[in-house]
Amino acid sequence: MQTSELEQNRHAILPQPNHDELARQQFVRSFKEHLVAEVHPGNRLAYEHRVKPAFVKQHGREPDDRFEIRDVMTRDPHYRMFSALLRTSQEMMWSASQHPVQRELQALVEKAKSTPGAGGRLKLDPTLEIPRYHRAVDIHCQPGGYHTEVTADDVAPGAIYDRAVFIYAMGQMGPDNADMGGSTLAWIKANYPNLNPERILDMGCAVGHSTVPYAQGWPDAEVHAIDVAAPMLRYAHARAETLGAKIHFSQQNAEQTDFADGSFDLIVSHILLHETSEKAIRRIIAECHRLLRPGGLMVHAETPPYKSLEAFDAFMLDWDTRNNNEPYWGRAHDIDYVELSSRAGFDPQQVFEVMAPSAYQIAQARRSKVFQGGDFGGGGLWFLYGAEKQES
Amino acid sequence: MSEQPQLKRKAKGERPYFFEDAAVDKLLAMLMGLAGEVSVLRDRLDTVERLAEQNKLFTRAEIENYQPDEVALQERAARRALYLGEITRIIQAELEGMQDAGEVPYSQAVDLVTTEEQPV
Ligand SMILES: C[S@@+](CC[C@H](N)C(=O)[O-])C[C@H]1O[C@@H](n2cnc3c(N)ncnc32)[C@H](O)[C@@H]1O
């Protein structure tokens, strides 16, 4: 296994870019790194240097919250330049990730069908409806979103996503994009040393970047992973089998699954909640409550809530809501987790909200240590929310 | 080629533009696209150099120490001049228009074909 963050681990079903396709992808990563290191900091500078003073002069006070900051910052020339470049980098990232997949599409589909066996199952449900919140816009600008299929047994959205996440995070989540799962797993092991789960569920697993660490971390556990998007699951299944991780994937909506009550000792999700909706999130947490055995644990990983950030940082982290097709991002960062959990049946006393350190230490020195749009994983910490289900 | 299934290229959702004139955003996107392609080319050249060295064709040190002769100097200078002329064409075109005594405002040309008799 490779230990550098410069390039992704080339597992067997990762699309193989040709020379120029790879160079194009690596350029996008460098472009994004340049934005984080050189252009992003200019936003705070512009804010302190001219935007805030102008606001104070006009109103006799500083801006109150991220909304007032947004009103004035969106007119600042540097912020506009930064935003135009960041949006462009996002579009270039998807485009550059698509090229090798478009070229190799049929071969990829075939390869995904015949992967060596770790013994995990794949169960698809062609009748499952894709939630409206995924049909309205293509989330974070991936053309076609997670679910669009252009050929039989399509795996393209998964193959594109696998590559794009590495570029998006600029390697900050490690060569297998596993940092969210790895960090959450490490935190759970440290804080619940006696958990030893027999059955684990990962909700909204995408291509299983975060699921694999659980299968490796608890090799005796039965690990299940669900997602609404079939092409993500086909790719996730092939990838997990290739990596020797036994995971049972099924196409299900986390709002309402077909697992029996009390099926799981541990339920996790990683950046799923902010891509749903106000209604869906309530149903998902209620479903977690139903699916956990008494004494079981749920943990959801996200980026930190705005209440924990100063107004300017909250404004910068909120960039994606308007500019990266993440319509629920902003609202999700203002969720009252205690209220959400107790309405779903959890004891409010049991609800925790913590910042867990990244388990991927190699990138630590290079991180900006800031939570901001376009710098995923740069904070070096993951926000974890969760609760134990009461023993009855 | 048979009809390959085509991936969707545009993400569903209205694209935000950040400058008053969206053309600025579009130019920036094109500029970064171009910068990307230059980078791709540079990486390809780097590969060629490394392979050449590995296969003992020539070394990168030889490239660094290469002294273009008179012919090469002239050819390169001519190619750069042409290259710059192509890129800055729009500026030249405007200047040429000013120099052309016969150039009339465009509206005048429109008026001409609508109101005046056409010369036979
Ligand atoms: C950002 S990705 C998750 C990343 C993944 N958990 C990881 O850590 O690599 C969001 C995923 O959630 C899925 N999803 C969204 N809403 C869902 C729902 N209601 N039920 C199940 N999956 C859902 C999407 O299809 C998508 O694959």
Side-chain angles (χ1 to χ4, degrees), chain A residues 128 130-131 133-134 139-140 145-147 161 165 173 177-178 180-181 202-211 226-230 232-233 250-257 268-277 280 284 301 326 376:
Chain A
L128 187 80
I130 299 298
Y133 44 85
H134 277 229
I139 304 268
H140 44 55
Y146 298 108
H147 56 275
Y161 183 84
V165 167
M173 296 208 295
N177 293 323
M180 281 186 291
D202 182 14
M203 291 176 153
C205 61
V207 298
H209 287 149
S210 301
T211 325
I226 60 171
D227 201 284
V228 284
M232 301 300 275
L233 289 165
S250 56
Q251 186 178 11
Q252 301 200 55
N253 188 328
E255 296 171 49
Q256 186 179 15
T257 69
V268 292
S269 81
H270 312 81
I271 57 168
L272 160 72
L273 300 181
H274 78 265
E275 290 185 7
T276 63
S277 75
I284 290 171
E326 290 272 8
F376 198 72

